[in-house]
Amino acid sequence: MGFGWLFIGYFATYFIAFSRLSYGFMLIGCLFMWMGLSKLGNFNPAFGRAKFPLLATMAVKLYMCLSLLNEFAALGLSMFASPVSTVFEVSEYIADAAFNIMLLLAIKSITSDLKLVKQYNASVRNMTIISIYYACALLWMIPFKIPDDVNSGIVLFLLLSRLIWSVLDLILLYSCYMYICPAGDEDMPLKKSRFEFVNRFREATARRQQKALDENVEAFKRHKEDAAKRLARKKKKK
């Protein structure tokens, strides 16, 4: 449906890519996410709107990638010198923030339509965490005089925060991949993977989901029976 492409792209862009040398991974990840958004846009237009900030993100990351090539090759091109590079660094944070928030808004929209409460709440939680992270990151980029030990603490906080929200977003995307499918595909069997450990993982996940579903059904039946008994007792008293 598209969440698989989103998961792979997000993993490459925001989880693997933690250094300046990984802009190539980021660009590839963005292309995967573009494919995922294109597929999901057929089911919910909010995913199509998320492609606009993603396009800006891709443009900025392409510039940063070319900037690294300019640095390594010692070309000395003026378009990669300060303050132009500084503007693009700030633009990267803004574009990433806009994309992540619009992606989570799209997930919030589709999970609301499908009454997936757990995924809906996770999207709201992740949006709050990401908004705080990017607000702190942009404030940190303002050229204040900060002691070195305080600055090191801020950098560590931002790195840990990014690791946390990227993991939370990956978990959310995988959950959407498992629970959301196009109409008519609900009973289709999973396509076998060439990797046996992937098949075992899918089977174990399917068993847990079925067990949880059975438990919910049983709990609902017990609740319905208890309500009927209470209603019968009230009628007898009358």
Side-chain angles (χ1 to χ4, degrees), residues 44-58:
N44 190 302
F47 287 99
R49 291 192 290 270
K51 291 167 70 176
F52 293 106
L54 178 60
L55 188 61
T57 297
M58 292 169 68

Side-chain angles (χ1 to χ4, degrees), residues 100-229:
N100 276 281
I101 289 171
M102 290 197 70
L103 173 62
L104 289 168
L105 284 172
I107 294 175
K108 178 173 173 281
S109 174
I110 197 170
T111 52
S112 174
D113 293 341
L114 298 174
K115 304 296 187 293
L116 295 173
V117 178
K118 184 178 178 181
Q119 287 77 10
Y120 175 90
N121 292 336
S123 67
V124 174
R125 176 202 63 203
N126 293 8
M127 206 183 313
T128 303
I129 295 172
I130 285 176
S131 298
I132 294 172
Y133 165 82
Y134 277 109
C136 292
L138 288 169
L139 286 173
W140 174 69
M141 296 184 76
I142 298 175
F144 291 126
K145 289 185 177 180
I146 304 174
D148 290 340
D149 55 343
V150 175
N151 187 62
S152 299
I154 294 173
V155 171
L156 180 61
F157 166 77
L158 291 174
L159 285 173
L160 290 175
S161 299
R162 173 167 171 155
L163 177 63
I164 290 169
W165 64 251
S166 60
V167 169
L168 290 175
D169 272 359
L170 285 170
I171 292 171
L172 174 59
L173 288 171
Y174 182 76
S175 179
C176 291
Y177 169 75
M178 293 298 295
Y179 282 92
I180 300 175
C181 65
D185 287 357
E186 299 87 351
D187 298 324
M188 287 184 65
L190 287 173
K191 184 179 179 181
K192 288 286 185 180
S193 170
R194 69 181 68 182
F195 302 108
E196 187 58 33
F197 76 92
V198 174
N199 293 325
R200 288 198 298 269
F201 178 76
R202 287 176 174 175
E203 290 169 2
T205 302
R207 286 195 296 269
R208 288 196 297 271
Q209 290 174 348
Q210 189 59 47
K211 182 180 178 182
L213 180 61
D214 293 341
E215 289 174 352
N216 289 338
V217 170
E218 289 298 322
F220 177 75
K221 286 180 179 179
R222 289 195 297 270
H223 176 75
K224 190 174 180 181
E225 290 171 358
D226 292 340
K229 289 177 182 178

Side-chain angles (χ1 to χ4, degrees), residues 60-79:
V60 173
K61 293 189 188 307
L62 177 60
Y63 171 88
M64 301 302 288
C65 190
L66 294 175
S67 177
L68 283 176
L69 291 175
N70 173 71
E71 182 179 331
F72 288 137
L75 298 176
L77 297 177
S78 59
M79 64 178 293

